[in-house]
Every structure is written in structure tokens, then in C-alpha cells.
Amino acid sequence: MPPLTRLAAVARIFLPTVLYIFAHPAAAHVKWFSESGSSVYPPGFSNSELITAITLLLLFLVVAAWLNGRLLKFGTRYFLPWCQQTKPLGFALLLLSIYFLGCAFSGVILAPHIAASPGVTALCIGLQALVSILLLLNRAQELMAGLILSLFLVAGIVDVTFLLEYVLLLGIAWLLYSTRQIPQEHTMRLLRCALGLSLAGLALTEKLLQPALALNVLQQYPLNFMAHLGVPFSDIWFVLAAGMVELLVGLLLMLGWLVRITTVVLLALMIASNSYFVMIDNHALALMEFIGHLPVFAVGILLLSYPGLGSFTAPARSADVAERELTLESGR
């Protein structure tokens, strides 16, 4: 078996398995579902828990760096765009349009847990509906970017952690401002880093720094499937593992390592998390999570389709070599 084929097989088995085992609920935004409870939770994690989790995180990063290096050596095509058309961009804009329209109909500002005074919220609802319409028409890109930036700042005033957790929306605003046909490499690099930073921010603010939020969710919904399988895995360990994996995914995206593999795993985890609420017949929460995750799905589609994935580490190729590779790929 060729080295690249063996590497792909290992990556397909290793990374998705590890991430799924440890992070089934990690794709869900804890603040969307957490309610105040009467239970007293530990203020944080113990030193032994943190040392174990950080050691595993560093181990996974080392393995990911090695796998990424092997891809750089043998998998040049991995870093090529898989599509030279505007269809993925159009589909991503459609998902974003549904997202903004869903937020408007829900009476929130960009996220289910963000609402301001009635007058400000009403204004933001109208602006989100306008953004949704402009996205469908694919018109007034500069206006759309400005409106998203304004909504982002309003949401940040309501909840300052929003500025870190949803920095992806700034990347989307730049995408709309700068892109007319196919996103440029620097735009994709910015989107990738913004998504990674958002995931890392959510891991810190919703799990690692405030485990009580996630523990509240585990009280309300039996997401700790490890305990249900008979494995001695406490809720606090489950929250720590989920936060570390979300942090790992964010770091991999920011570093530009195994971007397409990481993106597929991230989208799969979100689908699994959304499916859970469907299985327990809580369709309202399933719809809320689906709409809230649409920006991530939109950016995920772009990361899977367009260039910019090798960013910091991809080997340089001359234009004629890249053109020949694309011609060979399209001829198959």
C-alpha cells in the first residue's frame, strides 16, 4: 500500500474515532441550553485532571503535526481546491441567509442567548432580515458586511464573551465584502482561523473556565454516553474532555493542520449533536441548534471546496504545475 494511502487510512480511523469518543456534545453551544440549577458544582478542575487533559492534548497535536507533515510530503493534491465553480459559495450564502432569517424570527441577535432591550432587539431583528434578503439576492455585499459588523458589536455589548466566541462572523463579513466569484486564499485563511478561534473561545468560556455551565446541561440532558455505556467516566471528566477536544479542533484549524479532515470531523460532530435532540423528540431545541450552527456549516463547505488550506505550511508550487494538476484531476 502506498504511503499516502496508508496515511489516509490511519487518519480516517484515528482522528474521527478519538474526537467522537471524547466530544459528542462538544459541538453544542452550552449557553443555548444551560439553565440555572440548585446543585453545587466544583469551582474548577483538579490539578491531576488538568495535567492529564493537557498531556493528551499535546500528544494529539504532535500526532496531527506528524500526519500533516506526511501529507505535505506525499499529498500535494490534498491542498488543491476541489472545486473551481461558484456553487459551493452559493450554497454557503444560502445557509447564511437561513441563519440570519432564523435569528430574526426567533427574536434574538445572532445567537439564541443574546437579546437586548425591546427597541434595540427589534431594530436588530429588522437588520438580520435585511441581511437574509440581500444574501438571497447576492447584492450589496459591502452593506451586508457593515450590517453584520454592527450586529456583532451590539451582541458583544450584551455579552462581552460573544466577541471571542463568534469571531467567525467577522470572517464571514470579510468574505461577503471581498468575494465576488471564488474566495481568495487569504480570505479562506482568515475564515479558517476565525472558525478555529471561535471554537477555542467556546471551549474556554463554556467548558474549561466555567464547567458549571456544561454540568448544568448534562443534568438536563443525558449527553454523557460514556456513563451510559458502563464506563466509569464522571460528568466533570466528560466536560473536561469535551472542552479539550473542542480546543484541539480549534487549534488544528488555526495552525492549518489536517484542515479538511478536521472540518469533516467537526461537521459530523455537529450533525450527531443535532440528531440527539431529534431522537429525544425535542424538535424546538434541534431547530435552534441547527440554525445556530449554520455559519459553521457554511464555512465548513467553503473549507472543503476552495484553496487556502495549506496556508502556513503547504509547499509552494509554480502556477504551471498547479494548472497541470488541476487539468489531470478534472480529466478523471
Side-chain angles (χ1 to χ4, degrees):
M1 184 183 295
L4 181 58
T5 304
R6 290 199 304 271
L7 175 62
V10 170
R12 281 196 298 267
I13 296 173
F14 176 77
L15 280 181
T17 301
V18 170
L19 294 182
Y20 182 79
I21 288 175
F22 285 101
H24 178 71
H29 288 254
V30 168
K31 292 178 183 176
W32 299 353
F33 309 109
S34 180
E35 298 176 2
S36 58
S38 57
S39 300
V40 178
Y41 298 117
F45 305 104
S46 67
N47 290 336
S48 60
E49 290 169 341
L50 286 175
I51 291 173
T52 302
I54 293 173
T55 301
L56 289 173
L57 175 68
L58 294 176
L59 175 62
F60 293 144
L61 283 175
V62 170
V63 173
W66 177 80
L67 288 173
N68 190 73
R70 301 294 289 178
L71 278 175
L72 287 171
K73 187 174 181 180
F74 298 108
T76 305
R77 287 182 181 176
Y78 174 84
F79 298 101
L80 291 175
W82 291 356
C83 183
Q84 290 294 305
Q85 301 175 351
T86 59
K87 289 181 180 179
L89 177 61
F91 188 61
L93 295 183
L94 175 61
L95 294 182
L96 291 173
S97 175
I98 298 172
Y99 162 71
F100 283 105
L101 188 61
C103 290
F105 271 105
S106 301
V108 299
I109 306 172
L110 298 179
H113 66 288
I114 300 293
S117 62
V120 174
T121 300
L123 174 61
C124 291
I125 287 172
L127 294 179
Q128 289 174 125
L130 176 59
V131 172
S132 175
I133 294 171
L134 293 176
L135 281 166
L136 285 176
L137 298 175
N138 196 19
R139 292 290 186 273
Q141 283 87 344
E142 293 86 355
L143 175 60
M144 282 192 289
L147 291 176
I148 293 173
L149 177 60
S150 301
L151 291 165
F152 180 84
L153 294 176
V154 171
I157 294 173
V158 176
D159 180 5
V160 68
T161 60
F162 184 94
L163 300 175
L164 174 62
E165 297 169 351
Y166 289 80
V167 69
L168 174 62
L169 293 174
L170 294 181
I172 290 173
W174 175 256
L175 169 75
L176 297 174
Y177 177 80
S178 63
T179 303
R180 296 298 179 267
Q181 296 293 328
I182 295 176
Q184 299 298 312
E185 184 171 352
H186 70 275
T187 299
M188 295 308 306
R189 185 184 303 120
L190 178 63
L191 274 177
R192 173 175 54 72
C193 291
L195 176 56
L197 186 57
S198 290
L199 292 172
L202 286 166
L204 293 173
T205 59
E206 293 190 347
K207 299 177 181 71
L208 300 179
L209 298 182
Q210 300 185 79
L213 287 174
L215 288 168
N216 269 327
V217 174
L218 291 179
Q219 265 199 344
Q220 299 168 55
Y221 309 103
L223 289 167
N224 188 351
F225 64 93
M226 299 290 285
H228 299 306
L229 293 174
V231 180
F233 211 72
S234 66
D235 284 351
I236 191 69
W237 266 107
F238 197 73
V239 171
L240 178 57
M244 282 297 181
V245 171
E246 197 164 18
L247 180 60
L248 171 63
V249 172
L251 290 174
L252 289 177
L253 289 172
M254 285 189 283
L255 291 169
W257 296 349
L258 306 176
V259 174
R260 278 178 167 140
I261 296 173
T262 304
T263 301
V264 169
V265 171
L266 173 63
L267 298 184
L269 288 172
M270 288 191 168
I271 292 172
S273 132
N274 190 255
S275 301
Y276 166 77
F277 293 104
V278 174
M279 289 188 292
I280 65 173
D281 292 327
N282 198 328
H283 301 293
L285 290 182
L287 181 61
M288 178 179 69
E289 185 177 352
F290 172 73
I291 292 175
H293 284 158
L294 284 177
V296 178
F297 279 103
V299 173
I301 289 170
L302 297 179
L303 288 175
L304 292 173
S305 303
Y306 295 123
L309 303 176
S311 65
F312 305 117
T313 52
R317 300 186 313 274
S318 61
D320 57 333
V321 171
E323 184 178 355
R324 285 199 302 271
E325 289 174 336
L326 288 173
T327 303
L328 291 173
E329 189 70 18
S330 60
R332 292 188 175 183

